[in-house]
Amino acid sequence: LQEHLDTLPLSPEGRGLWQLRCIAALRHTGQNTHALAMVNGLRQEAVRLEGRAGECVRGHVALLAARLSFNAAPHQASTQLDFMGLLAQVDAAPSARLYWEWSNLYGLALRRRIAAAMPSGSGIVDELVQHGHAAFEAAYYWAAMAHDAYHQQAIASNYAYFLYWLTTQGRTGSTQSAIAWFQLAH
């Protein structure tokens, strides 16, 4: 991929798309530091892209940067990521993939936000729990719309664990929902 990126006469938009593919390959092979360096480089290039293609590349870049940040330090990123700002960037370049990725990441972060809010007995916990349910349900919906069975399975597993974790924290009445989502995932 990198060789093609270096040698093909790509338009700026095509170059952005190709870089996104390189970044995805780096992430899937665990080369997150190199992927983050490419994301930061692409972020600078993407500001010059115009139209829907530019919005799309910028949306993917923003989401990739957030995900890499979350992967590096989940607890820290859960409280520091601006999910509403990130959603605005996704909304500017609507795609089922961007929506499921945002929703899934938000759901993962919400579990940590819930855990952080629980000791204070804050009334916000119930609201965060509802947001968590909505986030994972939306993620599953958007992955289904994208015909992405692989990520539907991952999202179902994430939601199942969220439901199970809530049960262990005394926030739900039974483990049946968690088991149903684990069954769906497997």
Side-chain angles (χ1 to χ4, degrees), residues 34-62:
H34 191 207
L36 184 57
M38 280 195 82
V39 164
N40 290 333
L42 181 52
R43 181 180 284 145
Q44 293 172 355
E45 291 179 36
V47 297
R48 293 188 300 273
L49 299 178
E50 297 179 5
R52 293 300 250 170
E55 294 294 340
C56 184
V57 170
R58 285 187 289 278
H60 279 279
V61 166

Side-chain angles (χ1 to χ4, degrees), residues 163-164 166-167 171-179:
L163 294 168
Y164 169 76
L166 288 173
T167 301
R171 302 307 283 182
T172 60
S174 94
T175 58
Q176 294 308 311
S177 292
I179 291 169

Side-chain angles (χ1 to χ4, degrees), residues 101-174:
E101 286 193 42
W102 179 88
S103 298
N104 186 57
L105 180 59
Y106 188 46
L108 293 171
L110 280 167
R111 184 175 62 80
R112 288 160 179 86
R113 288 182 178 187
I114 292 164
M118 286 175 101
S120 67
S122 172
I124 189 94
V125 172
D126 290 335
E127 183 180 337
L128 292 173
V129 168
Q130 291 307 313
H131 285 291
H133 288 297
F136 283 117
E137 290 166 3
Y140 194 82
Y141 170 83
W142 288 113
M145 287 296 289
H147 303 282
D148 190 338
Y150 175 81
H151 287 103
Q152 280 179 271
Q153 183 180 24
I155 292 162
S157 293
N158 289 341
Y159 191 31
Y161 182 74
F162 177 79
L163 294 168
Y164 169 76
W165 179 82
L166 288 173
T167 301
T168 66
Q169 303 301 307
R171 302 307 283 182
T172 60
S174 94

Side-chain angles (χ1 to χ4, degrees), residues 20-36 39 63-65 67-68 71 97 100-101 151:
L20 288 171
R21 289 183 179 168
C22 287
I23 293 164
L26 291 169
R27 278 191 59 220
H28 292 299
T29 58
Q31 299 178 58
N32 291 333
T33 303
H34 191 207
L36 184 57
V39 164
L63 199 50
L64 281 166
R67 185 60 196 221
L68 289 165
N71 289 353
R97 180 183 177 110
W100 77 248
E101 286 193 42
H151 287 103

